[in-house]
């Protein structure tokens, strides 16, 4: 918060300084224009009211000083002009303020000859000043001039404006800093909470709370995503614990069984045919343990992309028919019905036949386990669109629990019912999904409810079959 607040404040101050400089320049120029207009107005008033023509000569009236002081009070101006009333030849007729900025004592005729009514000059005293001249008209003839000399510093002086501008900028700085501080604090607090929660997760402590009602969309998404991630990590931690317990149990059971049976044979507890039967059971358990270890090694190798997938062109009707026939021969049970629905047209795809069989056999075995040897399995090959083929493996078993649907493709996950009914490590579906993706396809759970569960294997059709 200190990092961002400091940088926001520096940015705000720089912005306000730029605004202040531009404002000062603009106010100075505006003040100059306004005060020059006031000066023009004073010169015109003097020419109209306080100068008259008598006996062919221009004569100033009395009351110029009183008029100027009255106007200063009304306009609340600090202008202190020098006024000359001169004739057409430049002879000074009147100097009401009795101040002469010209050290030579002679009024410069060049000021009258200049065609500009407003002139900026440097007086003989070295002071920058503005000169405003207004003609005295008598019957259309210029009989003289009213010349007003005003210091440039006085025309651009802005004491009150400076105070107002400074007050405004300081107020904006304080309000801006307070706003930045409040907003930064509002944004940083949930981020700090997430950082604290991350330290809890690092220590495998998932007992923390995060704010829920956050109006800022990005911060809300951050907090929501972290909650989902921590929940996912907590679930994975639970699965890891279950994995250790499951793998330990699955490997310990055959080892214990084998140890007991072999011990009985060695100690002559059994003999003859019974001893041979004990050895057969031990061999079966050893093979089962070997299969589980092989599954682990194969899965880890596949995760590390060390097992290549050899894809080739295959007629999908023929390939699927062979896979279904081989599985049906090995799983010929009285209460189990296997139905297959192939495409009427011949469609080729580029797949690895062995890996395809591995995925489908796993799906068929899972369906058989769900049916517990009594029910119907349907395998359907169809076109999803012009580019994708789909294979649905459907069974009419009890379905997958709602809370387990998002976890079935997790490594080592086994559903509650499956834990006690069958042996295994929970690698079948994750392994099958990885194989499908390695063939540019995918394996998804299409639907599952009591009486109907469908897994869909998708893969692309050959491009020349479009």
């Amino acid at each position: 918060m200190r990092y961002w607040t400091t940088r926001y404040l520096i940015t705000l101050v720089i912005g306000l300084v730029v605004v202040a400089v531009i404002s000062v320049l603009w106010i100075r120029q505006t003040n100059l224009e306004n005060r020059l207009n006031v000066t023009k107005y004073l010169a015109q008033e003097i020419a109209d009211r306080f100068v008259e023509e008598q006996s062919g000569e221009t004569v100033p009236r009395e009351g110029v000083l009183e008029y100027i002081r009255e106007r200063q009070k009304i306009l609340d101006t600090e202008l202190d002009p020098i006024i000359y009333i001169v004739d057409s030849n430049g002879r000074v007729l009147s100097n009401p303020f009795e101040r002469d900025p010209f050290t030579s004592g002679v009024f410069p005729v060049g000021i009258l000859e200049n065609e500009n009514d407003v002139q900026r000059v440097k007086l003989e005293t070295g002071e920058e000043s503005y000169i405003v001249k207004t003609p005295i008209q008598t019957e259309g003839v210029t009989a003289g001039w009213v010349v007003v000399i005003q210091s440039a510093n006085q025309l651009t002086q802005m004491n009150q404006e400076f105070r107002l501008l400074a007050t405004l900028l300081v107020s904006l700085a304080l309000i801006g800093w307070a706003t930045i501080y409040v907003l930064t604090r509002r944004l940083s607090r949930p981020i700090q909470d997430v950082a604290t929660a991350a330290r809890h997760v690092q220590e495998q402590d998932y007992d923390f709370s995060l704010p829920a009602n956050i109006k800022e969309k990005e911060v809300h998404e951050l907090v929501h995503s972290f909650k989902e991630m921590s929940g996912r990590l907590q679930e994975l931690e639970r699965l890891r614990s279950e994995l250790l317990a499951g793998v330990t149990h699955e490997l310990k059971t055959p080892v214990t069984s084998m140890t007991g049976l072999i011990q009985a044979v060695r100690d002559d507890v059994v003999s003859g045919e019974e001893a041979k039967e004990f050895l057969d059971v031990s061999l079966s358990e050893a093979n089962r343990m070997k299969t589980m270890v092989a599954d682990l090694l194969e899965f880890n190798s596949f995760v590390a992309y060390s097992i290549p997938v050899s894809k080739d062109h295959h007629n999908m009707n023929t390939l699927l028919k062979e896979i279904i026939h081989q599985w049906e021969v090995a799983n010929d049970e009285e209460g189990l019905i296997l139905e297959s629905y192939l495409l009427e047209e011949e469609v080729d795809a580029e797949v690895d036949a062995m890996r395809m069989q591995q995925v489908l056999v796993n799906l068929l075995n899972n369906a058989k386990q769900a049916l517990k040897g009594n029910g119907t399995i349907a395998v359907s090959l169809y076109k999803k669109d012009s580019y994708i083929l789909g294979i649905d493996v459907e069974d009419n078993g009890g379905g997958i629990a709602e809370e387990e649907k998002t976890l079935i493709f997790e490594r080592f996950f086994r559903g509650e019912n499956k834990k006690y009914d069958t042996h295994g490590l929970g690698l079948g579906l994750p392994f099958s999904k990885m194989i499908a993706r390695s063939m540019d396809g995918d394996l998804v759970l299409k639907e599952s409810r009591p009486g109907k569960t469908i897994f869909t294997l998708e893969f692309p059709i050959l491009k020349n079959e479009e």
Side-chain angles (χ1 to χ4, degrees):
M1 186 176 69
R2 182 168 58 252
Y3 176 88
W4 286 111
T5 303
T6 303
R7 278 151 183 77
Y8 285 151
L9 183 59
I10 292 173
T11 304
L12 176 63
V13 170
I14 292 174
L16 290 178
V17 168
V18 173
V19 171
V21 171
I22 296 174
S23 299
V24 167
L25 295 176
W26 179 74
I27 292 174
R28 282 173 62 89
Q29 183 63 30
T30 303
N31 276 352
L32 176 62
E33 294 175 357
N34 291 338
R35 287 170 179 171
L36 283 175
N37 289 334
V38 172
T39 303
K40 290 179 184 179
Y41 173 73
L42 290 175
Q44 189 65 49
E45 285 287 307
I46 293 171
D48 292 342
R49 296 188 182 187
F50 299 100
V51 179
E52 62 182 354
E53 186 74 15
Q54 294 180 2
S55 304
E57 293 185 355
T58 303
V59 180
R61 293 179 183 176
E62 298 293 332
V64 175
L65 290 176
E66 290 77 5
Y67 169 75
I68 292 176
R69 291 192 179 99
E70 181 182 350
R71 284 291 179 267
Q72 285 177 332
K73 291 179 181 179
I74 294 174
L75 298 174
D76 191 21
T77 177
E78 298 178 358
L79 298 180
D80 186 19
I82 299 173
I83 299 176
Y84 284 96
I85 299 175
V86 299
D87 61 14
S88 57
N89 297 318
R91 183 169 60 88
V92 177
L93 301 177
S94 175
N95 182 3
F97 288 95
E98 297 181 353
R99 287 180 293 169
D100 190 358
F102 305 107
T103 57
S104 61
V106 179
F107 188 85
V109 181
I111 294 175
L112 302 179
E113 293 176 349
N114 194 307
E115 61 182 8
N116 295 323
D117 293 337
V118 179
Q119 305 167 44
R120 179 167 181 164
V121 298
K122 190 172 185 179
L123 300 179
E124 295 173 2
T125 58
E127 183 180 14
E128 291 285 341
S129 298
Y130 283 89
I131 296 178
V132 177
K133 63 178 184 177
T134 300
I136 301 170
Q137 301 286 340
T138 301
E139 297 179 357
V141 178
T142 301
W145 297 87
V146 174
V147 180
V148 181
I149 302 174
Q150 181 67 51
S151 169
N153 289 333
Q154 288 186 354
L155 287 173
T156 57
Q157 190 174 10
M158 42 185 294
N159 294 332
Q160 184 176 0
E161 289 85 351
F162 269 137
R163 288 192 293 271
L164 290 173
L165 180 61
T167 302
L168 178 62
L169 292 177
V170 170
S171 300
L172 286 175
L174 292 175
I175 294 172
W177 179 82
T179 303
I180 289 170
Y181 179 83
V182 171
L183 292 178
T184 304
R185 186 177 178 83
R186 182 180 179 86
L187 289 173
S188 63
R189 183 176 296 172
I191 296 176
Q192 290 174 344
D193 293 339
V194 171
T196 303
R199 287 193 291 271
H200 283 277
V201 172
Q202 186 178 8
E203 298 171 359
Q204 296 184 0
D205 176 14
Y206 299 96
D207 186 17
F208 57 82
S209 61
L210 290 173
N213 299 323
I214 301 175
K215 296 181 180 179
E216 293 79 13
K217 180 181 177 181
E218 292 79 4
V219 179
H220 173 76
E221 290 178 350
L222 170 65
V223 174
H224 180 69
S225 299
F226 186 84
K227 285 181 179 178
E228 289 189 343
M229 183 197 71
S230 60
R232 185 74 167 164
L233 287 175
Q234 189 172 8
E235 180 64 25
L236 290 176
E237 182 67 20
R238 185 184 67 81
L239 290 176
R240 185 182 69 84
S241 300
E242 289 189 359
L243 161 68
L244 291 175
V247 171
T248 302
H249 174 74
E250 291 294 334
L251 294 178
K252 183 180 178 181
T253 300
V255 170
T256 303
S257 177
M258 289 163 53
T259 303
L261 293 172
I262 295 173
Q263 184 75 29
V265 174
R266 193 193 70 172
D267 294 343
D268 294 327
V269 175
V270 293
S271 60
E273 289 298 324
E274 191 175 5
K276 186 178 179 181
E277 183 180 353
F278 273 35
L279 291 176
D280 289 340
V281 173
S282 298
L283 182 61
S284 175
E285 291 294 319
N287 288 332
R288 186 162 70 89
M289 186 169 63
K290 180 181 177 182
T291 301
M292 287 190 290
V293 173
D295 288 343
L296 280 172
L297 292 175
E298 188 176 15
F299 183 80
N300 290 332
S301 298
F302 205 87
V303 169
Y305 302 102
S306 61
I307 296 181
V309 174
S310 178
K311 295 192 290 184
D312 200 357
H313 296 181
H314 291 277
N315 181 288
M316 293 310 301
N317 279 338
T318 303
L319 178 60
L320 189 59
K321 191 183 299 182
E322 291 177 357
I323 294 173
I324 293 173
H325 176 70
Q326 291 176 17
W327 186 86
E328 194 172 15
V329 170
N331 295 270
D332 186 13
E333 297 184 13
E334 184 176 348
L336 188 65
I337 301 173
L338 178 61
E339 300 175 350
S340 60
Y341 302 93
L342 304 179
L343 288 170
E344 295 181 358
E345 57 183 310
E346 300 297 328
V347 178
D348 288 351
E350 192 174 24
V351 297
D352 186 325
M354 184 185 71
R355 296 297 179 186
M356 178 69 73
Q357 182 176 7
Q358 195 171 359
V359 174
L360 288 174
V361 167
N362 181 63
L363 293 177
L364 291 169
N365 287 337
N366 286 348
K368 176 184 174 182
Q369 292 169 4
L371 295 173
K372 298 180 180 179
N374 187 16
T376 302
I377 301 174
V379 180
S380 304
L381 175 65
Y382 61 95
K383 275 188 175 182
K384 290 193 67 175
D385 52 42
S386 301
Y387 305 94
I388 302 295
L389 277 176
I391 299 177
D392 283 354
V393 178
E394 178 182 346
D395 67 73
N396 58 356
I400 300 171
E402 192 66 32
E403 63 274 10
E404 295 179 358
K405 289 180 180 179
T406 58
L407 301 172
I408 58 174
F409 291 106
E410 292 294 337
R411 305 168 190 179
F412 307 108
F413 175 79
R414 301 178 68 208
E416 289 298 324
N417 295 330
K418 202 170 183 180
K419 288 180 184 178
Y420 309 107
D421 294 339
T422 59
H423 296 286
L425 297 176
L427 293 175
L429 285 176
F431 196 15
S432 298
K433 191 175 186 71
M434 292 174 63
I435 293 174
R437 288 184 172 178
S438 70
M439 294 188 294
D440 301 321
D442 200 3
L443 175 63
V444 296
L445 175 63
K446 186 175 183 179
E447 180 183 355
S448 184
R449 54 185 172 81
K452 187 176 184 180
T453 297
I454 304 176
F455 281 91
T456 299
L457 175 61
E458 301 173 352
F459 47 92
I461 301 174
L462 281 178
K463 294 182 179 180
N464 58 8
E465 293 291 332
E466 294 179 3

